Amino acid sequence: MISKNQIKSITRLKQKKYRQQEGLFIAEGVKVIREFLDSSFSLVDLFTTETFNVDNETLITAVELKKISCLTTPNTALAIFKIPISKAEIGNELIVALDAVRDPGNLGTIIRLCDWFGVKNLVCSSETVDCYNPKVVQATMGSLKRVNITYTDLDLFLKETTLPVFGAFMDGQNVYQSNLPKAGVLILGNEANGISKTIEASVTDKISIPRFGDLQATESLNVATAGAILLSEFRRG
């Protein structure tokens, strides 16, 4: 059984300002929730149609779950977790930085890519979509627990780093012919506008992914797709 006040409190967490006020976020689906349960994330409440056998669990009906779910087709469970305090310990390593990436699906995929390629730290501009947006959490499929994400003044961060800064540009050096280091900052830009002029000023190395089609008519790659290709090249050496 779930109360009207609980429904109201949960549905408010779909909005960034309430997530920030409460320090809480929503996770849905058995796989995603179990990933967070098997981590340092702190569970606040779990609403489920099938028991997980954990504390703070409330059994509800499918009809009740639909009232609180962010999904068009709800899964069997929804959980509320505390947002952890970010503890960035950035050293001589490969870092991904995002310049105003807006789409939740893209951010979720990029977080999964960081997890796959062993990138521990993801640095986001303040204009980048919130990583605790329910759609982002869903898209990460649990990788959110293994990647440290920091929101900061990206321009200032890049000016202070001693690492080489790589940016993806159409007129950059062919990435397949580039000698890429094991440590550096890889910037991925906004879906519509790419890397901003302000951030571009801190780029030390411009790289590009060449087009191979006969017509070469495709304007650009999806930012997450480009990120996958570039991270693969950084790790290849």
Side-chain angles (χ1 to χ4, degrees):
M1 185 76 176
I2 186 169
S3 70
K4 289 184 179 179
N5 282 339
Q6 285 176 312
I7 292 172
K8 182 179 179 180
S9 296
I10 294 165
T11 54
R12 289 202 323 171
L13 295 178
K14 297 176 184 180
Q15 299 179 54
K16 180 180 178 179
K17 66 176 181 179
Y18 291 116
R19 290 195 297 272
Q20 291 180 332
Q21 282 179 18
E22 304 295 333
L24 304 172
F25 74 96
I26 295 169
E28 294 196 62
V30 173
K31 183 183 185 302
V32 174
I33 291 171
R34 289 202 182 279
E35 286 274 9
F36 285 119
L37 289 174
D38 186 28
S39 73
S40 60
F41 280 74
S42 179
L43 175 68
V44 176
D45 285 302
L46 173 59
F47 301 93
T48 178
T49 59
E50 299 174 7
T51 183
F52 279 63
N53 292 312
V54 297
D55 293 336
N56 302 332
E57 173 184 279
T58 302
L59 287 175
I60 61 173
T61 66
V63 173
E64 289 175 316
L65 180 61
K66 191 172 181 62
K67 291 179 180 179
I68 58 175
S69 176
C70 302
L71 304 175
T72 305
T73 305
N75 208 300
T76 58
L78 180 149
I80 308 296
F81 289 92
K82 290 183 181 179
I83 295 174
I85 298 173
S86 179
K87 297 179 181 179
E89 295 180 1
I90 297 174
N92 193 39
E93 61 188 274
L94 179 60
I95 300 160
V96 173
L98 303 184
D99 181 15
V101 170
R102 307 283 192 179
D103 183 78
N106 281 336
L107 177 56
T109 301
I110 290 168
I111 293 169
R112 290 184 71 186
L113 287 169
C114 287
D115 187 18
W116 184 269
F117 286 104
V119 175
K120 297 177 182 178
N121 284 291
L122 175 62
V123 178
C124 301
S125 68
S126 56
E127 297 81 17
T128 294
V129 62
D130 178 23
C131 66
Y132 293 105
N133 177 305
K135 292 181 180 179
V136 177
V137 175
Q138 197 69 23
T140 68
M141 295 301 291
S143 288
L144 189 59
K145 75 174 191 178
R146 291 181 289 270
V147 179
N148 188 67
I149 303 170
T150 304
Y151 285 80
T152 189
D153 182 330
L154 185 58
D155 182 36
L156 181 61
F157 170 80
L158 294 173
K159 286 177 178 176
E160 291 181 344
T161 186
T162 58
L163 295 169
V165 178
F166 293 80
F169 292 88
M170 294 298 291
D171 59 348
Q173 182 181 0
N174 185 333
V175 69
Y176 302 126
Q177 299 171 357
S178 301
N179 184 19
L180 301 174
K182 293 187 180 297
V185 181
L186 171 61
I187 304 172
L188 301 176
N190 175 266
E191 291 89 345
N193 304 311
I195 295 172
S196 65
K197 291 295 183 182
T198 300
I199 300 304
E200 182 181 349
S202 293
V203 172
T204 58
D205 297 86
K206 292 184 177 182
I207 52 178
S208 69
I209 302 168
R211 291 178 291 187
F212 292 95
D214 291 337
L215 297 178
Q216 297 197 2
T218 304
E219 183 178 315
S220 63
L221 285 173
N222 168 273
V223 63
T225 301
I229 294 168
L230 295 173
L231 283 172
S232 180
E233 287 301 301
F234 268 94
R235 291 308 196 200
R236 198 156 67 96

